[in-house]
Amino acid sequence: MRRGRLIGLAVALALFLALALQPGLFTPLLSLLVEPGTPLVYTRQSLIALAVWHIAVVASAEAVAVIVAVALGILVTREKGAEFMTLARMTSNLGQTFPPIAVLAMTVPLVGFGFQPTFIALAAYGLLPVFENTVAGLRGVPATTLEAARGMGMSKRAILMQVELPLAAPVILAGIRISTIINIGTATIGSTVGAKGLGEVIIAGLQAGNAAYVLQGAMLVALMAVCFDLAFRSLERRAFA
Amino acid sequence: MGISVPLQRRAGSGAPFSHAALVYAVPCVLALLALPFLSFRPNRIVSGEGVQVWDVAEGWGLVGTAALFVLAGATVLAGRQAARALLGFLGVALAMAVAGAGAKDLMADAPQFARVSLGGGFWLSCAFFALAAADALMRLDLRPLVRLAVAGFVAAALAAALASGWFDSLSLMQEYRANADTFAAAFRGHLILVGGSLLPALAIGLPLGWLCHVSSRARAVAVPILNILQTTPSIAMFGLLMIPLAALVAAIPELRRFGIAGIGVTPALIALTLYSLLPVVANTMAGFRAVPVETREAGRAMGMTRWTLLRQVELPLAAPVILTGVRIVVVQNIGLAAVAALIGGGGFGTLVFRGMGQTAMDLVLLGTLPIIAMAIVATILFDAAIDTMQRRRP
């Protein structure tokens, strides 16, 4: 299983890099999709630059989301913060019902077009899975383990840092994985509000009726998501061990 | 995404939620103080100047502000959850009333193309009042039918308020009047996308989930494939599906007669169906797995056939978990269906993307708000159904 995952990751990554760096290699395939004479490779921006932008916006939003969500998750699982549990749960459940496109669309009136609405929407939307999983992970730590740690005379802080968080790490990582994958997809929609990224290629293709553009954009985004998914899954495995 | 367990029942606590209530009340008051309540714009697409809540309409502003602050404070001090819920709803109603009155006053002597939009102060204060009400209702731990009745009452009140004409001066309502036909078509389209993808998803997902439950080989093949499908971003999925369908239609032009085409509803329905499979399959599996071995053995000892066992024992026991999967799918597809507009699939996304194209934010909102409303309604309905099922169980 682990080997299969690594091979899958290597293949997906190789395909992704080949398509992003040398799209010319794929022209025979792309030419099957469109009428002769239509442009095959998106040239308004280099694909690799768009891919880097895409990753940059997702990563920066994800960083904020993870810090805030893990902090909140820790807060509501402490004795003092228990009162806020219902509140946090409900907000998080409600948040899940907000479609990403709606979050995006509602941020634009506040901050205008471009990088910011996408960043804010991604950070807000990325919070939820991380928060849910942080709470689930911390709650999943067996009471007997906590008892033992307390019996050893560990301080609350030491228990959190040395027992609870390491034990919850795989579940938290799974939350970060889910949130990153969702956000790679949502960042694509971000191109409709003027954020730089691979969505630009797909949307240009949809607007011009150019299936070759759509395919290369879609392939790049899908491969990127698959790469991150597999990479995170192997990390989770490692965190278990 | 993925597997979700049904909401755990929490013991209803009647105790005041002092600190937690502050979390709604304080930002609510801060939002009203710091952010404009309305914004007045010379025309539909330029950004306007903010109007603070105490500056709106003669009389309404100061009285309204004071009343909103009092209501926010009262939600903290209220001794009973029911009172707190009522105060929260009153807060929303009052904020809406003030906004409607303010818009009417601003538009009374405004130039022809002027617009009045709702500002951050309005949205945030409404959101925090609504959250306070929802929090209180949740702590009341109402029975499913009572919950539905409350939701129905709120929906009816909202519909009556919108129909009353009190809000007609708001840009949002002007956009609605200008796009009423598109709005109705978008609503139909959205329902078709969500409903039309749910049926095939259930027809495929339920048997597949059962198969994955009984056969580990089927599980080893199906689950990774469904995982990859779920990982593919929605725009990419919509885009990728256009290509084989366009090729198919080019090869067999007769298909066009049945409405099958590379762009439009067909690829959107297929994409949404594919996205629905993983949650349905995963929850069906989880539901069957949760049936206790003893129960199954007791059934078998009574001489039940495999089919009877499935129909009379396993399926009823697994139903709440399966229904949770269906809820996830419906809520998820209500959101994803918005993206379908990019490939001509219709739905409320049409309004959202048209609004973004024209930088007309109220048109974007006109498309976004019903999507959120539909998602919330679906959540309430499904949760009530799931809850009923669980309560019936001994």
Side-chain angles (χ1 to χ4, degrees), chain B residues 211-284:
Chain B
L211 191 69
C212 288
H213 167 65
V214 292
S215 146
S216 60
R217 197 177 299 166
R219 193 163 54 232
V221 176
V223 173
I225 294 178
L226 294 180
N227 260 324
I228 290 194
L229 282 179
Q230 204 74 19
T231 314
T232 314
S234 51
I235 289 196
M237 177 88 93
F238 287 123
L240 287 173
L241 279 170
M242 283 167 59
I243 295 162
L245 280 174
L248 189 69
V249 175
I252 317 170
E254 289 79 37
L255 284 176
R256 229 181 277 271
R257 282 224 315 266
F258 303 102
I260 293 176
I263 62 169
V265 180
T266 327
L269 279 177
I270 298 177
L272 292 178
T273 306
L274 291 177
Y275 275 126
S276 316
L277 283 178
L278 182 67
V280 172
V281 169
N283 277 54
T284 308

Side-chain angles (χ1 to χ4, degrees), chain B residues 248-325:
Chain B
L248 189 69
V249 175
I252 317 170
E254 289 79 37
L255 284 176
R256 229 181 277 271
R257 282 224 315 266
F258 303 102
I260 293 176
I263 62 169
V265 180
T266 327
L269 279 177
I270 298 177
L272 292 178
T273 306
L274 291 177
Y275 275 126
S276 316
L277 283 178
L278 182 67
V280 172
V281 169
N283 277 54
T284 308
M285 266 161 58
F288 279 126
R289 208 183 306 135
V291 177
V293 183
E294 303 85 53
T295 316
R296 205 172 288 148
E297 254 153 35
R300 227 172 272 150
M302 284 167 67
M304 284 183 166
T305 62
R306 202 167 187 184
W307 172 242
T308 332
L309 193 68
L310 176 69
R311 225 181 29 151
Q312 294 185 356
V313 179
E314 294 183 298
L315 212 48
L317 283 176
V321 184
I322 297 179
L323 205 57
T324 309

Side-chain angles (χ1 to χ4, degrees), chain A residues 33 83-84 86-87 89-91 93-94 96-106 108-110 113 178 181-182 184-185 188-189 192-193 202-203 206 211 214-215 217-219 221-222 225-226 229 233, chain B residues 1 7 10 16-20 23-24 120 131 134-135 138-139 227-228 230-236 239-240 242-243 331 335 338-339 342-343 352-353 356 359 361 364-365 368-369 371-372 375-376 379:
Chain A
L33 297 172
E83 201 187 347
F84 297 98
T86 325
L87 186 165
R89 267 284 155 80
M90 186 187 66
T91 327
N93 277 341
L94 260 180
Q96 302 278 22
T97 61
F98 272 62
I101 182 82
V103 180
L104 208 53
M106 294 179 79
V108 174
L110 297 175
F113 285 85
I178 296 170
I181 301 303
I182 295 177
I184 288 176
T188 320
I189 310 174
T192 55
V193 296
I202 302 176
I203 287 161
L206 290 174
V214 175
L215 182 70
M219 290 284 291
V221 180
V226 169
D229 187 58
R233 278 175 198 273
Chain B
M1 314 239 149
L7 283 177
R10 262 179 295 276
F17 60 138
S18 52
H19 294 109
V23 177
Y24 305 116
L131 279 173
D135 185 315
M138 224 159 117
R139 284 169 202 256
N227 260 324
I228 290 194
Q230 204 74 19
T231 314
T232 314
S234 51
I235 289 196
L240 287 173
M242 283 167 59
I243 295 162
V331 172
V339 184
L342 276 180
I343 56 166
V352 175
F353 288 113
M356 283 187 185
T359 63
M361 280 312 141
V364 174
L365 277 176
T368 310
L369 294 176
I371 298 175
I372 295 170
I376 292 177
T379 309

Side-chain angles (χ1 to χ4, degrees), chain A residues 145-219:
Chain A
T145 315
L146 293 178
E147 202 69 23
R150 237 171 272 141
M152 284 166 66
M154 288 172 90
S155 67
K156 277 186 179 168
R157 196 191 149 83
I159 295 179
L160 175 67
M161 300 306 285
Q162 293 170 22
V163 179
E164 292 184 87
L165 282 180
L167 283 174
V171 187
I172 299 179
L173 263 178
I176 301 179
R177 166 173 56 86
I178 296 170
S179 130
T180 309
I181 301 303
I182 295 177
N183 274 347
I184 288 176
T186 314
T188 320
I189 310 174
S191 300
T192 55
V193 296
K196 273 188 192 158
L198 290 167
E200 201 179 307
V201 185
I202 302 176
I203 287 161
L206 290 174
Q207 278 166 353
N210 184 333
Y213 284 0
V214 175
L215 182 70
Q216 60 198 280
M219 290 284 291

